[in-house]
Amino acid sequence: MFRKAAVTAASNGNYSQGQANGRLPSLDSGQPAQEEKVVLKQKVTLLRGISIIIGTIIGAGIFISPKGILQNTGSVGMSLCVWAACGVLSLFGALCYAELGTCIKKSGGHYTYILEAFGPLPAFVRVWVELLIIRPAATAVISLAFGRYILEPFFMQCEIPELAIKLITAVGITVVMVLNSTSVSWSARIQIFLTFCKLVAILIIIVPGVIQLIKGETQHFKNAFAGNDASVMGLPLAFYSGMYAYSGWFYLNFVTEEVENPEKNIPLAICISMIIVTVGYVLTNVAYFTTISAGELLLSKAVAVTFAERLMGNFSLAVPVFVALSCFGSMNGGIFAVSRMFFVASREGHLPEILSMIHVRKHTPLPAVIVLHPLTMIMLFNGDLYSLLNFLSFARWLFIGLAVAGLIFLRYKHPDMPRPFKVPLFIPALFSFTCLFMVALSLYSDPVNTGIGFAITLTGVPAYYLFIVWDKKPKWFRRLLGKVTITLQIILEVVPSEEDQKS
């Protein structure tokens, strides 16, 4: 495994001593390392947990995805039905993760649950595809929306240059990486503030929409189901767009070990968050159609801005700012959570050991955060927003469906496992079946993007046997890997966590 290779490669005694005592290694054997216990602390309260979920769910999806859903459903009425169905489906998935998070009290989310239920191979493939595709693509998608909306007030009368969008997006990604590398507390505080901004942005759309309904502006709801019929080809892509807008309900499970009183706070945070988001999303889409027709919505590149321009005049300049802050919060919450997956996968020996180390003073998983930066930049400058959305959905929902199927398997494999929160069996059965059915349909309706995603996912199988199972790697490779690990430890000032030493 990666971990074993790194440890056995270190011929210097200082590295082994630092490994055992949680001390920073020194290349100079005459300089003793300073002993210090380093752990990720339980700093995620109920409020912070709610802010992580809401703050990550409400990003660009509600402001961009209405276009994708309407395109693939063909009518206003059907698009609203898809929004409601995706909300119910996401609630089912969130309830399943509430049970998993309270009976398996480990961070890592999907990765950890697949590991516990089905073993190391599918778990490794999960974290492999997350590192190579899902997280860089997801971060690039939400970051591109951030770049577009933050520049919108400066280009009201003309088209925003694509290069300008990508450059400001790159700056935003870098700022988020630095924030999460510097302080867990400040990252959480900023997430709470950004969650408040998101809810304000939603209310700025909902309140005028309700006023429009009271005035009788319902012309766009007449013959709501008239139009192009939804096809078997388009419906899965419509659900992908909707589920993307709701995605984020699972992120609190990535930081389970940092949650205070997880048996109580995880289910409570999930339920409160999903009720707020589902009601907010449905009302937001109703508000859109009080002012914007289906044809106008399809032509708009920034639906929320178009809506605000119609009803608010000059105040509409504030809307893209709120939306940009919303996207920034989604970026922050996603990176905060997923870095813990890489941290746990490294702790289990499925990723290089350096990724399970923590900064000696800031107590952040610094290497697990910054490893995403170069991959995200590659995604950012290669691909457009909608193709990335469809591309990442295949692998994401395949493994979420598998993780929820693991809940059913664990019910029979470990019937006596303590389950402080338990859902009826039909909920995980329905949710996992729906996820896998959507994946199967996507292979038919969008074979190019999903085919590429499927092929890259399969590369995780030979990678598992090459990097994890095969333990007879050349001595020079082990020695080199050990030296690289030591050098990175010294440069980044990171050491193994106390939990890592106990495992």
Side-chain angles (χ1 to χ4, degrees):
M1 295 189 292
F2 286 171
R3 172 177 303 281
K4 290 182 179 179
V7 174
T8 56
S11 59
N12 190 318
N14 284 333
Y15 176 79
S16 299
Q17 189 178 28
Q19 168 80 5
N21 297 325
R23 295 192 277 175
L24 193 65
S26 173
L27 293 178
D28 181 4
S29 58
Q31 294 287 337
Q34 183 178 2
E35 184 173 355
E36 183 178 357
K37 293 182 178 180
V38 183
V39 295
L40 292 175
K41 299 178 180 178
Q42 288 186 325
K43 293 187 176 182
V44 180
T45 61
L46 175 61
L47 178 60
R48 289 179 176 180
I50 293 172
S51 73
I52 288 174
I53 298 173
I54 295 180
T56 309
I57 293 177
I58 303 176
I62 188 62
F63 309 106
I64 295 176
S65 287
K67 178 180 177 181
I69 291 177
L70 189 59
Q71 273 181 334
N72 290 292
T73 55
S75 66
V76 171
M78 184 59 70
S79 70
L80 292 176
C81 289
V82 169
W83 276 104
C86 288
V88 173
L89 192 61
S90 297
L91 176 61
F92 282 180
L95 292 174
C96 295
Y97 268 57
E99 176 176 331
L100 288 167
T102 53
C103 68
I104 302 174
K105 299 182 181 67
K106 295 180 181 179
S107 296
H110 323 313
Y111 166 81
T112 298
Y113 305 144
I114 293 173
L115 179 66
E116 292 288 330
F118 302 114
L121 175 56
F124 174 84
V125 173
R126 173 68 185 93
V127 77
W128 173 266
V129 75
E130 179 77 30
L131 182 61
L132 291 183
I133 306 175
I134 297 177
R135 183 44 40 190
T139 304
V141 168
I142 191 67
S143 301
L144 283 169
F146 163 78
R148 177 175 296 279
Y149 277 94
I150 200 69
L151 291 175
E152 189 76 26
F154 303 101
F155 294 88
M156 297 297 289
Q157 304 301 324
C158 61
E159 193 75 19
I160 306 175
E162 287 298 320
L163 181 59
I165 293 175
K166 292 188 176 182
L167 289 177
I168 198 68
T169 297
V171 173
I173 292 171
T174 303
V175 169
V176 171
M177 298 285 183
V178 171
L179 174 63
N180 279 272
S181 301
T182 302
S183 172
V184 172
S185 294
W186 271 107
S187 179
R189 292 188 189 108
I190 290 175
Q191 188 68 15
I192 292 174
F193 168 74
L194 293 172
T195 299
F196 173 77
C197 293
K198 292 168 186 283
L199 296 177
V200 170
I202 292 290
L203 287 174
I204 287 175
I205 295 171
I206 291 176
V207 173
V210 172
I211 294 174
Q212 289 289 92
L213 285 176
I214 294 174
K215 290 180 178 179
E217 297 291 338
T218 59
Q219 64 271 21
H220 298 144
F221 295 101
K222 295 177 181 178
N223 300 318
F225 290 91
N228 298 325
D229 294 332
S231 66
V232 176
M233 295 282 287
L235 205 54
L237 296 180
F239 268 91
Y240 274 166
S241 293
M243 295 298 286
Y244 165 71
Y246 282 99
S247 65
W249 47 262
F250 41 75
Y251 280 124
L252 187 60
N253 295 68
F254 284 54
V255 297
T256 301
E257 295 171 24
E258 297 172 65
V259 177
E260 293 180 357
N261 191 9
E263 296 90 347
K264 174 184 177 183
N265 286 340
I266 288 179
L268 199 55
I270 285 174
C271 291
I272 292 172
S273 300
M274 289 309 302
I275 291 172
I276 292 173
V277 172
T278 303
V279 172
Y281 272 14
V282 173
L283 291 179
T284 298
N285 280 276
V286 170
Y288 282 150
F289 289 115
T290 63
T291 305
I292 304 173
S293 68
E296 290 170 333
L297 189 145
L298 291 175
L299 292 175
S300 175
K301 291 186 177 180
V303 180
V305 175
T306 302
F307 174 86
E309 287 174 348
R310 298 280 180 89
L311 296 180
M312 304 177 195
N314 292 333
F315 184 73
S316 64
L317 293 174
V319 173
V321 175
F322 276 108
V323 176
L325 290 174
S326 175
C327 295
F328 189 85
S330 192
M331 293 158 58
N332 180 61
I335 291 172
F336 176 83
V338 175
S339 61
R340 273 58 177 180
M341 176 193 286
F342 301 144
F343 176 85
V344 172
S346 173
R347 192 172 65 189
E348 296 290 339
H350 286 172
L351 289 177
E353 184 178 14
I354 189 69
L355 298 182
S356 64
M357 297 188 186
I358 301 174
H359 195 277
V360 292
R361 294 186 306 276
K362 303 181 187 301
H363 291 200
T364 60
L366 176 63
V369 173
I370 63 175
V371 70
L372 288 169
H373 192 270
L375 294 171
T376 303
M377 290 299 172
I378 293 172
M379 286 283 189
L380 173 63
F381 289 96
N382 293 277
D384 68 89
L385 193 135
Y386 278 100
S387 65
L388 285 175
L389 173 59
N390 294 331
F391 183 65
L392 68 93
S393 292
F394 162 78
R396 166 180 280 174
W397 297 112
L398 172 64
F399 286 104
I400 289 177
L402 187 62
V404 174
L407 184 154
I408 301 173
F409 180 71
L410 289 173
R411 288 274 187 98
Y412 293 96
K413 183 180 180 182
H414 300 293
D416 299 326
M417 176 185 290
R419 292 178 172 86
F421 182 87
K422 193 173 182 179
V423 297
L425 198 59
F426 82 90
I427 290 180
L430 176 62
F431 182 80
S432 58
F433 172 79
T434 304
C435 285
L436 298 177
F437 181 69
M438 285 168 53
V439 169
L441 282 180
S442 72
L443 287 170
Y444 175 73
S445 62
D446 191 12
V448 176
N449 281 326
T450 52
I452 293 172
F454 184 70
I456 297 179
T457 300
L458 288 180
T459 63
V461 176
Y464 173 76
Y465 287 99
L466 177 63
F467 296 119
I468 308 303
V469 175
W470 183 44
D471 58 358
K472 296 182 179 179
K473 299 177 180 66
K475 291 183 179 179
W476 65 265
F477 178 79
R478 299 186 181 187
R479 192 176 299 113
L480 175 63
L481 190 59
K483 289 181 178 178
V484 169
T485 301
I486 294 172
T487 303
L488 288 175
Q489 274 193 261
I490 295 170
I491 293 173
L492 300 177
E493 297 184 333
V494 294
V495 295
S497 67
E498 186 177 2
E499 287 88 349
D500 195 14
Q501 297 162 29
K502 292 176 182 178
S503 62

